[in-house]
DNA sequence: AGCATCACG
DNA sequence: ACGTACGTGATGCTT
């Protein structure tokens, strides 16, 4: 049998070391992870290098140890363990268990003593022993068979203390390390030692006398000196210090070497812990295998004929679709679960079964789903009008924590500890290899999803109630999903010919700009390549370099604007960029998205994506159609009503974010400004520059507007200086003046950051949450970013709450009034409807009314509106 | 797949 | 001293 190799880890010391060596990382739910991360990387490395047969991680048991009997101030004056570290210990223990490594602690003893005792026992049995710690005290345990590894900064860097290494480094034997500490003391453990004796003196004395005891036996012979006096005066203290520093090797532990066999990690469990802590790089790097087999058995059936008795009053339903493009892709089948029976129906059965259709359309039959909007939209395409959605796992998870990423059932379920659903990739493969498996495999997969949703429904609802977020979820997001689904399915009509005509005109202008650019550059090159463009501008033409990117010269618009006076080519490039963008993204890109059968685009509003609670829009993104520049704005001429003689009607909130800020900060001045109905930027300029209304110049208003933006974004002097192209000092002065004029805003901003530090998250008016793990980060940039986010998210997020509520109220109002007008789009602070001309008058009345009263604030909400025969004309 | 750029609120 | 304004998505280029 090969020689046994025992690895003994000093848990507390390593965790402390890692905690202070690494930046204060945290995963997306706000749990700090740096100590566990550092411990893990160290562990991985050492396991690979040493391949131990036995292992143990020792921990300190509590505050008092037997050493306190000797000296009650032992380890006195120590700073309390930071809470960011304490919270990591449970995860550390979980991780060690997942590795299947024994852990041990013993009342009254420190980890050192456990390690010392076991090391001695192992040595007696002729085992090789390796001790790993962050604490050099342990080096006293080194012998020919016992090596002590001490981590250096970075955790994976290790210094190996063998007796010969110690001899080389200090000229001492390992045992003399104890004497050294007796003489020099150890401030971190509050061991006094002999005052005035440091490492150098201690080593010198020990080389001469050998040990503390020997020194004092021969001290009479020492020639008279200050040093001698000090040593004589502190004899007791030196001997006590040595005793304190001595690691016990006969601790009465009730664990033996036989218990320490190390079988290797349970890879799946380790991966689970890593997942929980978001150790993405470790997951990627490791060759740990996730057991693909799903552990729990699940009974399921493939049902050909759905009968009424199979469909209960409440069931989990999962509509499995090919991919995320639910407006164009196909249904693969539907899974059902009521916790007892689980079954699957194929798309054919679904399309031809009246019983099933009726059940799905019955509002009184409760459906528990995940991404019900996708199901609603795709079922709508086969003329099934999904109703009665009572639970949506995607939305529930998003409300619990908007940082949870991924929208498939397997990913979401595993976020909440349910792991018996396989990843879609496992079932279908990915990329070119994507394929639908045989029906049995498919049916089980889909049935499992339904069962997972059924299982997690009470878990998530409980979590929502615990967070006081149930209303936000149930009364806001869930009904909104239905409305968004209708908007998406309705779509907005696009006149392709208009776009094509614009495309031709753009093409001509682009070609002529290209010619000019090549002429001025003296050669042809790819203007779209920042790399090639950089070479032309900054090397060939020698323009001054203002800004650099990671990869080379920056050619961004703000840089080019400053270079316009340097060379005529720059303006051409700016124009080229503008037109090329319009053509590729908004002409060609948009045309690709138009559905041929109805000449409409059907965007998908992502309802569970943004960190703040806003929606986002994809395929196509209809929330960033040009408007600021006239050339781009014309794109909006291609968006038209779906019926002859209808109009597009647009209504937007005026200054909603600043009004939200007025409400939340309750700043007297800001509230007053809005109550008086003033132009807020003019009013800000009056206060900041101390002038009367008619003295406000356009430049003053412009500056005030920038400051207002800055306030909303979480002000920084640097950001404002960049925006206004002024010095940081000037920007700082602006901010100070602003905060003097609006002291309530300052107080609010200070409080929100404080509050975020305390709770780890910020909230909106409707109690939407965003966790900010970096708010206590030691890294200035990360912390500052989190602080600005703490200021911005309640504002942006509350504005999102308000318009979402308005959409729900508006939907009800249109129904109540029996109108044909339809809500089509939401663009963060505006709603776009299409309407028959004879309903315009009613909309002019009810749309502002409903939007302005969506949520009552301390200041009025104001809505502007307009309409026209194209989106462009609704201005 | 990541980066730079630019469109929107 | 640090170095960025907040939130998104699409495109084209480069690796």
């Amino acid at each position: 049998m090969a020689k046994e190799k025992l690895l003994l880890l000093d848990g507390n010391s390593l965790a402390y070391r890692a905690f202070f060596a690494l930046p204060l990382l945290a995963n997306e739910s706000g749990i700090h992870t740096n100590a566990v991360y550092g411990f893990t990387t160290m562990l991985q490395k050492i396991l690979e290098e040493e391949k131990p047969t036995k292992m143990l991680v020792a921990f300190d048991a509590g505050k008092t140890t037997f050493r306190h009997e000797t000296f009650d101030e032992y380890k006195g004056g120590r700073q309390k363990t930071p809470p960011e570290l304490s919270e990591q210990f449970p995860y550390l223990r979980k991780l060690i268990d997942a590795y299947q490594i024994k852990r041990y602690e013993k009342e009254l003893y420190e980890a050192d003593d456990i390690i010392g005792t076991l090391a001695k026992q192992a040595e007696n049995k002729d085992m090789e022993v390796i001790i790993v710690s962050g604490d050099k005290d342990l080096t006293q345990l080194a012998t020919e068979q016992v090596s002590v590894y001490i981590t250096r900064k970075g955790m994976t860097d290790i210094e190996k203390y063998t007796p010969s290494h110690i001899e080389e480094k200090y000229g001492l034997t390992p045992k003399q390390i104890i004497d050294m500490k007796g003489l020099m003391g150890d401030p971190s453990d509050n061991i006094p030692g002999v005052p005035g004796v440091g490492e150098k003196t201690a080593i010198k004395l020990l080389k001469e006398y050998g040990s503390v005891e020997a020194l004092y036996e021969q001290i009479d012979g020492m020639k008279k000196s200050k040093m001698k006096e000090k040593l004589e005066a502190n004899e007791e203290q030196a001997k006590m210090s040595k005793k304190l520093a001595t690691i016990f090797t006969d601790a009465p532990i009730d664990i033996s070497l036989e218990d320490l066999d190390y079988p290797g990690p349970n890879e799946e469990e380790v991966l689970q812990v890593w997942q929980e802590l978001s150790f993405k790089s470790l997951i990627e790097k490791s060759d740990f295998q996730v057991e693909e087999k799903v552990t729990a058995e699940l009974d399921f059936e493939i049902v050909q004929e759905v009968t009424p008795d199979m469909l209960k009053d409440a069931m989990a339903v999962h509509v499995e679709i090919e991919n995320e493009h639910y407006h164009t892709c196909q249904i693969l089948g539907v899974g059902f679960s009521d916790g007892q029976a689980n079954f699957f129906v194929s798309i054919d059965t679904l399309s031809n079964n009246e019983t099933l259709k009726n059940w799905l359309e019955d509002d009184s039959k409760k459906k528990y789903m995940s991404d019900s909007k996708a199901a609603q939209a795709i079922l709508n395409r086969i003329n099934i009008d999904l109703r009665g959605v009572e639970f949506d796992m995607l939305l529930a998870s998003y409300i619990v924590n908007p940082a949870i990423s991924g929208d498939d059932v397997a990913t979401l379920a595993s976020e909440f500890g349910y792991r018996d659903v396989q990843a879609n990739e496992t079932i279908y493969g990915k990329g070119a290899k994507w394929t639908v498996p045989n029906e049995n495999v498919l049916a089980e997969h889909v049935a499992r999803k339904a069962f997972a949703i059924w299982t997690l429904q009470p878990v998530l609802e409980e979590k929502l109630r615990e967070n006081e977020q149930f209303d936000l979820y149930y009364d806001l997001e869930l009904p909104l999903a239905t409305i968004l689904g209708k908007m998406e399915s309705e779509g907005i009509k696009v006149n392709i010919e208009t776009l094509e005509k614009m495309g031709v005109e753009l093409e001509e202008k682009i070609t002529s700009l290209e010619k000019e650019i090549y002429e001025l550059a003296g050669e042809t090159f790819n203007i779209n390549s920042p790399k090639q463009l950089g070479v032309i501008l900054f090397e060939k033409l020698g323009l001054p370099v203002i800004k650099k990117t990671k990869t080379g010269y920056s050619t961004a618009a703000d840089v080019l604007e400053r270079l316009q006076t340097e060379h005529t080519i720059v303006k051409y490039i700016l124009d080229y960029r503008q037109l090329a963008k319009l053509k590729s993204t908004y002409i060609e890109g948009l045309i690709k998205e138009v559905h041929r059968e109805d000449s409409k685009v059907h965007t998908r509003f992502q309802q569970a994506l943004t960190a703040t609670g806003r929606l986002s829009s994809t395929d196509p993104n209809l929330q960033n159609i040009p408007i600021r520049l006239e050339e781009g704005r014309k794109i909006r001429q291609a968006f038209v009503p779906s019926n002859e003689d209808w109009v597009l009607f647009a209504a937007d909130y005026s200054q909603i974010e600043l009004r939200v800020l007025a409400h939340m900060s309750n700043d007297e001045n800001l509230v007053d400004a809005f109550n008086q109905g003033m132009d807020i930027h003019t009013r800000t300029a009056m206060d900041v520059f101390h002038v009367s209304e008619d003295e406000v110049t356009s430049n003053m208003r412009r500056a005030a507007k920038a400051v207002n933006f800055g306030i909303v974004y979480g002000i920084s002097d640097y950001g404002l200086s960049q925006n206004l192209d002024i010095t940081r000092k000037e920007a700082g002065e602006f901010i100070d003046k602003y905060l003097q004029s609006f002291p309530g805003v300052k107080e609010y901003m200070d409080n929100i950051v404080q509050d975020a530090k305390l709770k780890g998250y910020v909230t909106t008016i409707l109690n939407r949450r965003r966790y900010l793990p970096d708010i206590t980060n030691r890294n200035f940039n990360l912390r500052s970013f989190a602080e600005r986010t703490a200021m911005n998210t309640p504002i942006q997020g509350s504005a999102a709450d308000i318009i979402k509520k308005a959409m729900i109220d508006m939907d009800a109002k249109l129904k109540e009034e029996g109108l044909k007008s339809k809500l089509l789009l939401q663009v963060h602070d505006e709603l776009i409807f299409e309407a028959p001309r004879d309903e315009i008058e009613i909309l002019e009345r009810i749309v502002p009314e409903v939007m302005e009263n969506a949520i009552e604030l301390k200041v009025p909400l104001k809505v502007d509106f307009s309409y026209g025969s194209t989106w462009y004309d609704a201005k």
Side-chain angles (χ1 to χ4, degrees):
Chain A
M1 195 183 98
K3 194 168 170 177
E4 294 272 21
K5 189 168 184 178
L6 171 65
L7 194 54
L8 296 166
L9 303 168
D10 183 348
N12 288 77
S13 151
L14 290 167
Y16 262 86
R17 255 304 167 93
F19 181 75
F20 290 109
L22 301 175
L24 193 56
L25 315 160
N27 75 352
E28 57 271 308
S29 33
I31 307 159
H32 295 96
T33 57
N34 60 338
V36 186
Y37 184 80
F39 186 91
T40 311
T41 50
M42 178 279 300
L43 184 61
Q44 284 284 98
K45 184 168 182 223
I46 212 134
L47 283 175
E48 188 177 320
E49 285 177 3
E50 302 296 344
K51 307 212 184 327
T53 58
K54 291 174 181 286
M55 279 186 86
L56 175 100
V57 184
F59 285 97
D60 299 340
K63 266 187 258 170
T64 34
T65 69
F66 70 90
R67 287 184 178 82
H68 289 87
E69 288 170 26
T70 309
F71 182 52
D72 60 8
E73 284 168 57
Y74 175 67
K75 292 201 173 176
R78 260 207 181 179
Q79 288 236 315
K80 199 168 141 256
T81 308
E84 294 89 345
L85 174 57
S86 323
E87 73 189 27
Q88 298 187 47
F89 279 102
Y91 293 97
L92 187 57
R93 281 186 222 110
K94 208 164 156 183
L95 182 84
I96 292 164
D97 292 347
Y99 270 97
Q100 310 198 75
I101 300 168
K102 284 280 174 320
R103 12 179 209 99
Y104 185 71
E105 57 187 59
K106 171 86 182 169
E107 276 299 303
L108 300 180
Y109 291 86
E110 294 182 62
D112 298 5
D113 304 311
I114 299 166
I115 288 172
T117 305
L118 284 166
K120 191 170 133 194
Q121 288 178 12
E123 190 174 16
N124 289 340
K125 296 226 165 129
D126 199 31
M127 295 181 189
E128 185 185 347
V129 180
I130 291 164
I131 294 168
V132 189
S133 176
D135 185 349
K136 283 190 183 147
D137 290 5
L138 280 283
T139 53
Q140 64 182 265
L141 296 171
T143 68
E144 286 313 316
Q145 295 203 59
V146 178
S147 314
V148 181
Y149 293 2
I150 303 297
T151 57
R152 288 195 279 218
K153 70 169 178 203
M155 289 306 288
T156 49
D157 197 10
I158 281 166
E159 187 170 6
K160 301 181 178 179
Y161 287 83
T162 55
S164 59
H165 181 72
I166 294 167
E167 166 69 33
E168 221 173 276
K169 191 161 172 167
Y170 301 108
L172 301 176
T173 66
K175 288 273 175 280
Q176 285 177 308
I177 297 285
I178 314 174
D179 296 276
M180 181 167 100
K181 273 199 65 171
L183 291 172
M184 64 186 271
D186 182 347
S188 74
D189 287 346
N190 206 29
I191 295 177
V194 177
V197 175
E199 187 176 307
K200 291 273 152 51
T201 318
I203 291 172
K204 201 185 82 194
L205 288 168
L206 289 170
K207 277 189 180 158
E208 194 174 337
Y209 297 98
S211 73
V212 171
E213 290 75 17
L215 184 154
Y216 281 108
E217 270 163 33
Q218 300 171 48
I219 197 157
D220 294 341
M222 195 186 281
K223 78 168 192 275
K224 203 171 168 230
S225 70
K226 268 264 155 58
M227 177 59 57
K228 184 178 175 185
E229 279 171 36
K230 276 190 216 147
L231 286 166
E232 281 174 328
N234 291 289
E235 180 173 351
E236 282 313 306
Q237 196 162 299
K239 288 180 175 168
M240 178 194 78
S241 294
K242 178 175 172 180
K243 195 174 163 196
L244 287 173
T246 306
I247 293 173
F248 216 50
T249 54
D250 291 303
I253 54 171
D254 27 38
I255 189 164
S256 73
L257 293 170
E258 285 81 66
D259 303 325
L260 303 185
D261 288 335
Y262 173 61
N266 179 330
E267 301 190 346
E268 196 176 348
E269 280 181 29
V270 171
L271 279 170
Q272 276 179 25
V273 179
W274 286 358
Q275 210 122 43
E276 190 173 355
L277 298 171
S278 312
F279 291 172
K280 301 206 172 81
S281 61
L282 282 174
I283 294 169
E284 267 165 44
K285 265 198 312 205
S286 89
D287 40 14
F288 283 9
Q289 293 297 313
V290 192
E291 286 284 316
E292 284 296 0
K293 77 166 172 34
V294 174
T295 44
E297 293 273 324
L298 188 84
D299 284 327
F300 71 97
E301 219 185 319
I302 298 173
V303 170
Q304 311 289 351
E305 195 58 43
V306 183
T307 52
D309 61 295
M310 303 168 81
L311 298 166
K312 309 292 163 50
D313 289 345
M315 291 192 99
V317 182
H318 183 75
V319 180
E320 182 78 352
I321 58 182
E322 288 177 319
N323 55 53
E324 70 269 32
H325 300 94
Y326 51 77
H327 294 305
T328 50
C329 77
Q330 299 303 311
I331 296 176
L332 296 172
V334 186
F336 296 83
S337 173
D338 64 358
Q340 305 287 317
N342 311 293
F343 63 92
F344 172 85
V345 300
S346 69
I347 174 67
D348 286 340
T349 308
L350 174 69
S351 317
N352 300 309
N353 189 296
E354 276 301 304
T355 308
L356 192 46
K357 176 175 157 78
N358 290 337
W359 185 85
L360 288 166
E361 294 187 336
D362 186 343
D363 197 29
S364 71
K365 306 295 182 192
K366 294 180 176 173
K367 287 96 185 169
Y368 302 162
M369 313 187 72
S370 190
D371 199 357
S372 63
K373 173 161 67 68
Q376 178 193 325
I378 201 163
L379 288 173
N380 176 66
R381 288 169 46 210
I382 55 170
N383 291 316
I384 294 175
D385 178 25
L386 178 68
R387 295 165 125 261
V389 176
E390 180 70 8
F391 173 75
D392 190 317
M393 186 164 81
L394 175 64
L395 297 179
S397 327
Y398 176 65
I399 293 307
V400 165
N401 183 356
I404 292 175
S405 61
D407 48 18
D408 62 298
V409 174
T411 314
L412 291 176
S414 81
E415 285 280 350
F416 297 94
Y418 184 96
R419 293 169 209 285
D420 293 335
V421 184
Q422 285 167 291
N424 282 334
E425 198 182 313
T426 312
I427 302 294
Y428 302 106
K430 68 166 175 181
K433 283 191 249 163
W434 189 93
T435 169
V436 180
N438 73 53
E439 195 176 39
N440 263 316
V441 173
L442 175 69
E444 175 169 357
H445 182 57
V446 179
R448 280 184 181 283
K449 289 188 180 182
F451 185 74
I453 295 167
W454 178 271
T455 308
L456 287 172
Q457 182 264 339
V459 177
L460 275 154
E461 292 203 354
E462 178 52 35
K463 183 85 190 148
L464 289 163
R465 289 212 162 81
E466 185 186 313
N467 289 0
E468 296 184 337
Q469 293 183 300
F470 188 79
D471 294 349
L472 169 65
Y473 152 77
Y474 191 81
D475 296 333
L476 194 88
E477 298 295 350
L478 200 54
L480 183 67
T482 308
I483 294 166
L484 291 171
K486 284 195 287 186
M487 291 162 64
E488 294 175 9
S489 294
E490 185 61 41
I492 182 165
K493 192 164 174 187
V494 170
N495 189 332
I496 292 191
E497 279 142 46
T498 307
L499 289 178
E500 281 170 343
K501 235 159 90 189
M502 290 176 181
V504 173
E505 285 168 27
L506 280 173
E507 180 57 36
E508 278 174 29
K509 290 184 186 162
I510 289 169
T511 313
S512 103
L513 284 167
E514 260 173 8
K515 256 179 70 187
E516 296 285 353
I517 291 166
Y518 296 153
E519 189 107 351
L520 287 164
E523 63 182 289
T524 63
F525 64 101
N526 187 344
I527 310 169
N528 288 321
S529 160
K531 197 176 162 191
Q532 293 182 38
L533 180 61
V535 171
I536 296 287
L537 291 180
F538 303 110
E539 288 175 18
K540 186 162 182 189
L541 301 178
L543 297 179
V545 178
I546 293 178
K547 202 164 74 176
K548 285 198 155 190
T549 66
K550 265 182 221 162
T551 48
Y553 311 110
S554 169
T555 64
D558 61 323
V559 172
L560 296 188
E561 268 157 32
R562 287 182 214 198
L563 293 173
Q564 279 198 70
T565 51
E566 303 275 340
H567 201 291
T568 46
I569 195 173
V570 177
K571 176 67 179 145
Y572 288 116
I573 290 166
L574 281 166
D575 289 346
Y576 173 90
R577 280 254 181 92
Q578 191 202 337
L579 301 184
K581 177 84 177 180
L582 288 177
K583 184 154 182 280
S584 70
T585 305
Y586 296 104
I587 302 287
E588 288 158 359
L590 203 51
I591 289 173
K592 280 191 208 126
E593 294 292 341
V594 177
H595 289 215
R596 299 294 131 160
E597 64 276 17
D598 60 4
S599 287
K600 287 175 170 184
V601 286
H602 299 266
T603 187
R604 295 193 320 279
F605 288 108
Q606 307 294 328
Q607 197 187 348
L609 185 146
T610 70
T612 56
R614 275 189 175 181
L615 302 176
S616 85
S617 160
T618 55
D619 302 313
N621 179 355
L622 295 181
Q623 292 181 320
N624 73 345
I625 302 300
I627 190 167
R628 291 174 190 170
L629 300 173
E630 178 57 26
E631 298 94 311
R633 190 174 198 157
K634 290 207 159 64
I635 298 286
R636 294 178 174 228
Q637 290 171 340
F639 289 84
V640 295
S642 61
N643 292 303
E644 284 285 311
D645 230 27
W646 281 37
V647 294
L648 290 176
F649 186 100
D652 68 290
Y653 283 109
S654 159
Q655 306 297 349
I656 189 169
E657 292 188 333
L658 286 171
R659 286 171 200 266
V660 165
L661 174 62
H663 171 81
M664 296 203 298
S665 67
N666 207 10
D667 179 277
E668 215 178 301
N669 196 17
L670 196 56
V671 169
D672 182 61
F674 281 120
N675 280 331
Q676 290 187 17
M678 293 183 69
D679 176 301
I680 192 63
H681 302 316
T682 304
R683 171 64 183 258
T684 306
M686 289 162 62
D687 289 334
V688 170
F689 298 110
H690 302 295
V691 295
S692 67
E693 186 166 359
D694 47 344
E695 288 168 328
V696 174
T697 64
S698 64
N699 255 340
M700 284 154 89
R701 188 179 180 281
R702 192 176 67 88
K705 187 174 173 180
V707 174
N708 278 328
F709 266 97
I711 292 292
V712 168
Y713 291 157
I715 197 93
S716 78
D717 51 6
Y718 184 85
L720 182 65
S721 73
Q722 289 294 297
N723 191 289
L724 280 176
D725 204 6
I726 56 178
T727 67
R728 230 168 96 176
K729 189 157 166 280
E730 289 165 326
E733 285 162 10
F734 270 163
I735 294 166
D736 285 344
K737 281 188 194 152
Y738 177 94
L739 295 174
Q740 277 164 31
S741 306
F742 299 95
V745 172
K746 177 167 169 44
E747 200 190 336
Y748 167 77
M749 294 294 183
D750 291 346
N751 287 343
I752 198 89
V753 170
Q754 268 307 104
D755 197 46
K757 285 189 176 157
L758 204 67
K759 298 214 289 265
Y761 60 86
V762 290
T763 57
T764 66
I765 288 182
L766 295 185
N767 216 17
R768 191 185 300 282
R769 254 183 213 199
R770 179 178 186 179
Y771 290 91
L772 298 171
D774 282 336
I775 197 93
T776 51
N777 201 305
R778 282 169 178 67
N779 178 309
F780 176 88
N781 285 325
L782 292 177
R783 188 178 64 249
S784 300
F785 185 47
E787 286 170 358
R788 292 196 298 275
T789 311
M791 298 187 245
N792 170 265
T793 294
I795 299 173
Q796 192 183 117
S798 297
D801 292 350
I802 292 170
I803 195 164
K804 283 177 167 179
K805 174 68 165 35
M807 292 169 76
I808 292 168
D809 294 349
M810 205 55 236
D811 182 70
K813 188 75 174 175
L814 290 175
K815 195 179 288 171
E816 184 188 317
E817 301 275 332
L819 299 176
K820 295 199 201 72
S821 299
K822 289 181 189 110
L823 177 57
L824 299 183
L825 300 176
Q826 186 250 46
V827 190
H828 310 308
D829 66 353
E830 66 175 324
L831 298 178
I832 291 115
F833 304 82
E834 62 176 7
R837 286 197 174 268
D838 60 12
E839 289 183 7
I840 293 172
E841 246 179 78
I842 311 173
L843 291 190
E844 287 180 323
R845 181 168 52 80
I846 66 172
V847 172
E849 165 80 15
V850 168
M851 288 175 73
E852 286 173 359
N853 292 298
I855 290 182
E856 193 180 343
L857 303 184
K858 290 168 188 145
V859 295
L861 286 171
K862 183 167 171 257
V863 169
D864 300 318
F865 58 86
S866 61
Y867 60 89
S869 55
T870 72
W871 194 1
Y872 177 88
D873 299 295
K875 60 175 178 187

